[in-house]
Amino acid sequence: QVQLSESGGGLVQAGGSLRISCAASGRTASNYAMGWFRQAPGKGREFVATINRSGRSTYNADSVEGRFTISRDNAKNMVYLQMSRLKPEDTAVYYCAARLTSRTLVAVSSEYDYWGQGTQVTVSS
């Protein structure tokens, strides 16, 4: 298995930027596709972005396309989410997830095997 730990959340103003990170331990991160999900108060867990094992392919939710970028550094067992032009509706707890995978990128939370504890991102208006 793999253990995941998110960091880098905080309070930012609308229009600002923030990068959050996910550190993986246990099995090497290169064995997994990785994803970011978020959960706002009173809402279910929402897909944000995913990246394949090599880092050469990504897929983003429509709500963040053009604003957020997922990336990974397998040598460091790290996954990142660079968030730009943040909006108040981006406020949520952001979770890192890992999936033993085939070639296919997956946006459904139930398809992921391991989860971090989450990091809070708050965007003020």
Side-chain angles (χ1 to χ4, degrees), residues 68-83:
F68 291 10
T69 301
I70 186 171
S71 62
R72 68 191 301 165
D73 185 340
N74 286 339
K76 297 180 179 179
N77 286 335
M78 295 290 293
V79 184
Y80 307 98
L81 186 68
Q82 177 66 52
M83 301 178 287

Side-chain angles (χ1 to χ4, degrees), residues 17-118:
S17 299
L18 191 68
R19 188 177 77 162
I20 56 176
S21 302
C22 175
S25 61
R27 299 291 300 274
T28 58
S30 62
N31 291 320
Y32 302 88
M34 303 296 296
W36 286 99
F37 293 77
R38 65 188 184 186
Q39 188 164 19
K43 295 186 176 181
R45 192 160 294 186
E46 176 189 18
F47 169 74
V48 176
T50 187
I51 188 166
N52 72 350
R53 288 171 290 182
S54 70
R56 291 189 170 93
S57 183
T58 64
Y59 175 70
N60 299 325
D62 289 344
S63 59
V64 306
E65 180 66 38
R67 300 190 298 120
F68 291 10
T69 301
I70 186 171
S71 62
R72 68 191 301 165
D73 185 340
N74 286 339
K76 297 180 179 179
N77 286 335
M78 295 290 293
V79 184
Y80 307 98
L81 186 68
Q82 177 66 52
M83 301 178 287
S84 300
R85 306 199 309 278
L86 283 160
K87 304 174 181 179
E89 52 263 43
D90 295 320
T91 295
V93 177
Y94 283 72
Y95 296 92
C96 179
R99 176 179 182 264
L100 285 167
T101 187
S102 64
R103 301 184 308 274
T104 305
L105 293 174
V106 174
V108 179
S109 62
S110 62
E111 294 294 326
Y112 286 78
D113 302 298
Y114 304 102
W115 294 83
Q117 82 290 340

